[in-house]
Amino acid sequence: MSGKGLFPRISGVRARVLLVAIVPVLALSLMLGPPLISERLESQREALAERGRIISLNLSLATEFGLFAGNTERIRQVLANTAIGNPDVTEILVYGPQREILVRHPERPAAAPASCEPGGASGKDLGFEMPVGGAGPQVLDFDEPLAPGAAAAKPPLGWVRVCLSPQASLAQARETLERSVVLVLVGLAGSILLALLIGRAITRPILHLLEVVNRLRRGDLAARVARPSGGASSASTRRRIVSSPSP
């Protein structure tokens, strides 16, 4: 076997080691990456929707007395405190029983359209609406039966609409995507480095044996093969090269 014939085999060994190291990482990234990222993004969207519902529910309870008493100043204070504690709340509107705007934060003309629509997105903001007041729980004495028609719903005192900006959720989604890409790249880089180290450990003794054989063919009888520190591949390759006939 000539030295020229070994070099393609050595390159083939390195390529195979690289493939063995990289292919599993790529396969796992393609199989697990998209579902995990999609699940993470969906959980962020659900968390944003749940947060909007909780804020609107809390506001409906906090503004009920103000609507019942007609105390708009109290309602304004509640809305201002809610906006301070929730920076992603862009607008809060309180409607009367006839769907007229009673109070809004921040202050805007009553005729100005809301920055969001309930149950969906209008522009960039998500809208969440909750009725204020209406039918409450029936309190009965002992086993007194519920009178027919007693459970009829009362008309609500008004409605509360909360406009929530999705920018914070979008920023978290971008951060999730960036982290996923970085993890995949780090995994690939680590796999390539490991493959290079393994390929080097495999091919170094082969190259050393090839150099000794070439020196012997040139008449350098002092050339010797150093005993490998370990590895069956080096020993088998050495035996194969030394026992091969000269061309």
Side-chain angles (χ1 to χ4, degrees):
M1 181 184 295
S2 63
K4 294 182 180 180
L6 275 179
F7 281 109
R9 294 192 177 184
I10 293 172
S11 301
V13 169
R14 291 176 177 173
R16 291 174 184 175
V17 172
L18 284 175
L19 287 177
V20 169
I22 295 175
V23 169
V25 176
L26 285 177
L28 288 176
S29 301
L30 293 176
M31 288 190 300
L32 302 180
L36 291 177
I37 293 175
S38 177
E39 182 179 356
R40 177 62 177 171
L41 296 179
E42 183 63 25
S43 65
Q44 290 177 352
R45 286 191 291 266
E46 292 178 356
L48 180 64
E50 183 65 19
R51 186 163 176 269
R53 287 190 290 267
I54 291 175
I55 293 175
S56 59
L57 176 61
N58 291 338
L59 280 175
S60 70
L61 298 175
T63 58
E64 183 175 0
F65 178 78
L67 280 175
F68 179 77
N71 190 346
T72 57
E73 290 302 323
R74 178 182 173 87
I75 296 176
R76 286 191 179 91
Q77 182 179 0
V78 171
L79 301 190
N81 293 337
T82 301
I84 292 174
N86 300 277
D88 50 351
V89 173
T90 58
E91 188 176 20
I92 307 174
L93 301 96
V94 178
Y95 296 89
Q98 304 301 323
R99 301 294 300 188
E100 72 278 12
I101 297 177
L102 300 179
V103 183
R104 67 192 309 172
H105 182 87
E107 293 289 343
R108 295 176 60 191
S115 60
C116 64
E117 293 295 332
S122 177
K124 297 181 179 180
D125 296 339
L126 301 176
F128 303 89
E129 192 169 285
M130 192 71 64
V132 180
Q138 301 293 325
V139 179
L140 303 177
D141 292 333
F142 302 102
D143 296 330
E144 179 183 353
L146 185 64
K154 298 179 182 178
L157 300 173
W159 288 267
V160 171
R161 181 182 300 181
V162 177
C163 299
L164 201 61
S165 174
Q167 295 305 316
S169 178
L170 293 176
Q172 292 180 355
R174 286 192 296 268
E175 184 178 356
T176 300
L177 291 175
E178 292 172 359
R179 288 181 178 179
S180 302
V181 172
V182 169
L183 288 177
V184 171
L185 293 179
V186 170
L188 286 177
S191 300
I192 292 174
L193 179 60
L194 181 62
L196 290 176
L197 293 177
I198 295 175
R200 183 179 179 182
I202 293 175
T203 57
R204 179 184 291 179
I206 298 176
L207 292 175
H208 175 66
L209 291 174
L210 180 61
E211 180 183 358
V212 172
V213 170
N214 289 332
R215 289 174 58 186
L216 290 174
R217 286 174 178 172
R218 291 194 301 266
D220 186 3
L221 301 180
R224 294 292 184 271
V225 176
R227 182 178 296 275
S229 58
S233 61
S234 299
S236 62
T237 305
R238 180 181 60 184
R239 290 195 300 268
R240 200 177 305 136
I241 293 176
V242 173
S243 61
S244 61
S246 301

